[in-house]
Amino acid sequence: MSDYNINVSGCIDLRYLAKECCLEERSLAALADKLLGCKLDKDWHVRASDWEAEELNDRQTEYAALDAYVAVKIFEQLRNKKISWWNWLFLSDKQKWDTVTELYSNYKDLPYQNVRTNGNTKFKPKSNVRSYSTSTIKSTQVYDNCLMENVDGTVMSTCSHKKVDWYISQGLAKLVNDDPKTIRLNFPADLKNRKDNFSVLPRENICTVCGRSEHFRKKSIIPKEFVRHMPTEHKSHIPHDTLLLCYWCHIKSNAFDLIIRKKIFNICQIEELNPNENQKIPAYVKIMRSKSLAKTLLKSRHTIPDKIANELRLEIAETYNMKPNRVFDTFLESLLTIKSLKSVLDNLII
């Protein structure tokens, strides 16, 4: 949009508005069919075509234009369910803008999350610090190292079992090998923008820093909140941008991030981070609680009832996505070595 000097003050995901109007449909095509009675062309041949071409073909142009136009018309239909078109007709342009802004302010720039709620969802303001959840901790394997081939048999990239199954289920590829699991696309893919062979190399399931082989999290080298302000060539989603870290190294890395963020915010004269913000990171709280539980289990193993001990082990196991019977004393002892984020921050030198 900036290429045409058009400034966008915010975006709203239509799926939130559809949910608010108690519609089951969520996709643009389904909403267009429901509210406008029109069918959108969603042929995968168009969706998977070369959108980076200097000149789009007629079908691509029509596809893009219809998506934009239909989205506006769907918004109008959903808005009319909140404000009658008759009342809307007599509002001035400023009144219309103020009304829409107030009506949908909670949804502005809010990423869509497909979760079931009781209708009383409260939207919290975005924090400067990313919230981390232990639900993304992988106990063992992260990289499946399956292979994806182009129609001519050229290896394009590694991928996950989940992606392999999806491509096959959608009829976009066929299985050509079981070990390693390999699929071949049924359509030619454009490889002209590939700069190296990094994406075809198998990746080890070990922490990049310490070599640990369990409890992983992926780490973005450049946080997303900074990437979005960078030139387009740096925004491409490529595997170079992430590292595999164990959870302990990930926590320490986050501590470094907080310091660097503060420096950047100071340089850019942006409001400084809340110094207690790290205490609100759910995963951090769980990690420190696990340390406390481990200390209790080791210190009072002969005095606490078995039922209580099992409950404590279960909570630790859930935090690290592991089986309760794998929570050995050696693992509990390793938890005692975890330092608080505050102490890590105090001792870091950059």
Side-chain angles (χ1 to χ4, degrees), residues 10 249 255 344:
C249 291
V344 173

Side-chain angles (χ1 to χ4, degrees), residues 248 251 287-288 291 320 333-340:
W248 291 270
I251 287 286
I287 288 289
M288 299 314 295
K291 177 181 178 179
Y320 291 96
E333 290 168 358
S334 70
L335 296 183
L336 299 184
T337 64
I338 299 175
K339 297 180 180 179
S340 69

Side-chain angles (χ1 to χ4, degrees), residues 3-226:
D3 293 340
Y4 298 93
N5 294 321
I6 299 175
N7 295 321
V8 179
S9 62
C11 297
I12 296 176
D13 196 312
L14 292 176
R15 289 172 289 187
Y16 279 122
L17 278 58
K19 180 186 288 188
E20 197 174 73
C21 293
C22 301
L23 297 177
E24 294 183 358
E25 292 78 8
R26 292 290 184 270
S27 69
L28 194 68
L31 287 170
D33 187 26
K34 174 77 174 180
L35 299 174
L36 306 176
C38 67
K39 300 286 186 183
L40 290 180
D41 180 10
K42 290 297 179 181
D43 189 341
W44 69 266
H45 288 90
V46 184
R47 285 185 290 168
S49 59
D50 182 12
W51 289 93
E52 299 297 326
E54 291 186 7
E55 186 174 342
L56 301 180
N57 59 43
D58 292 342
R59 196 173 179 190
Q60 287 176 312
T61 304
E62 182 181 10
Y63 182 100
L66 275 177
D67 269 13
Y69 178 76
V70 166
V72 173
K73 292 302 178 183
I74 290 174
F75 173 79
E76 291 176 351
Q77 291 295 319
L78 295 173
R79 180 206 64 206
N80 289 342
K81 292 181 180 294
K82 290 286 187 179
I83 309 169
S84 70
W85 68 270
W86 181 255
N87 291 335
W88 183 262
L89 190 63
F90 291 99
L91 295 177
S92 66
D93 288 343
K94 184 179 185 307
Q95 288 174 324
K96 289 178 180 178
W97 177 255
D98 291 342
T99 301
V100 169
T101 302
E102 181 180 357
L103 193 61
Y104 299 120
S105 60
N106 282 339
Y107 302 120
K108 181 181 176 182
D109 295 328
L110 184 69
Y112 183 73
Q113 294 182 337
N114 189 20
V115 295
R116 296 182 180 275
T117 67
N118 58 5
N120 297 320
T121 304
K122 295 182 179 179
F123 301 101
K124 298 180 180 179
K126 291 184 179 179
S127 166
N128 284 329
V129 179
R130 182 179 175 184
S131 293
Y132 298 91
S133 168
T134 54
S135 62
T136 55
I137 300 177
K138 303 296 183 182
S139 295
T140 52
Q141 186 165 296
V142 174
Y143 299 123
D144 296 328
N145 290 318
C146 300
L147 298 178
M148 180 183 294
E149 296 180 349
N150 208 342
V151 287
D152 59 0
T154 304
V155 177
M156 297 170 52
S157 67
T158 58
C159 61
S160 64
H161 286 298
K162 185 177 180 180
K163 180 173 283 190
V164 165
D165 294 339
W166 185 85
Y167 268 83
I168 294 175
S169 68
Q170 298 297 312
L172 302 177
K174 59 184 177 182
L175 186 67
V176 295
N177 197 3
D178 287 322
D179 188 20
K181 202 168 187 178
T182 306
I183 57 172
R184 183 170 298 164
L185 298 181
N186 295 331
F187 60 94
D190 184 12
L191 302 178
K192 66 180 182 181
N193 293 323
R194 175 177 291 175
K195 297 179 180 179
D196 54 48
N197 293 322
F198 180 85
S199 59
V200 304
L201 299 175
R203 278 166 275 176
E204 292 187 85
N205 288 284
I206 60 173
C207 173
T208 308
V209 177
C210 69
R212 186 186 293 270
S213 58
E214 58 184 356
H215 305 123
F216 298 122
R217 276 189 64 103
K218 287 185 178 180
K219 173 73 176 181
S220 296
I221 297 174
I222 303 176
K224 293 179 181 178
E225 59 264 39
F226 294 122

